[in-house]
Amino acid sequence: KGLGKELMTLLIDLTFNKLKAKRLIYAHMKHNQKSKNLCLSFNFKYYESNEETREYDNYKVICDYYYLDYEDYIIKNKD
């Protein structure tokens, strides 16, 4: 329990500091409030919602997409 923030911190570090990406995209199923709260706690910004179909069972879900830009990450972690 409680690994979400630790894993997100590692993912963000890998994305921006090791891979030198400019943007990280994060998606979760709309009904997953814990996942939404996690990305918002890292200052991700809402991008869009899309209906997706899971390949293994053809179940349709709404996914919310968020992004975190490198510049915003640097500003938040300046000190």
Side-chain angles (χ1 to χ4, degrees), residues 4-26 42 44 68-70 72-74 76-77:
K5 286 192 176 195
E6 188 174 339
L7 291 172
M8 182 66 84
T9 299
L10 292 171
L11 178 62
I12 291 171
D13 180 62
L14 173 69
T15 301
F16 293 135
N17 298 322
K18 304 284 189 282
L19 299 176
K20 306 297 185 199
K22 300 292 184 200
R23 177 174 278 184
L24 174 59
I25 305 292
Y26 180 85
F42 283 88
F44 279 74
L68 179 64
D69 285 332
Y70 177 73
D72 295 330
Y73 165 74
I74 290 300
K76 183 178 184 232
N77 295 290

Side-chain angles (χ1 to χ4, degrees), residues 8-72:
M8 182 66 84
T9 299
L10 292 171
L11 178 62
I12 291 171
D13 180 62
L14 173 69
T15 301
F16 293 135
N17 298 322
K18 304 284 189 282
L19 299 176
K20 306 297 185 199
K22 300 292 184 200
R23 177 174 278 184
L24 174 59
I25 305 292
Y26 180 85
H28 66 83
M29 291 183 195
K30 191 165 193 73
H31 67 273
N32 190 336
Q33 189 64 42
K34 287 184 179 183
S35 189
K36 177 180 179 178
N37 292 344
L38 176 65
C39 75
L40 292 177
S41 74
F42 283 88
N43 296 324
F44 279 74
K45 296 177 183 158
Y46 175 76
Y47 179 67
E48 67 182 1
S49 295
N50 287 318
E51 184 177 273
E52 309 283 344
T53 303
R54 296 190 308 203
E55 289 185 23
Y56 65 91
D57 64 358
N58 289 326
Y59 182 74
K60 293 185 185 299
V61 296
I62 303 295
C63 291
D64 289 342
Y65 288 83
Y66 293 78
Y67 68 92
L68 179 64
D69 285 332
Y70 177 73
E71 291 81 15
D72 295 330

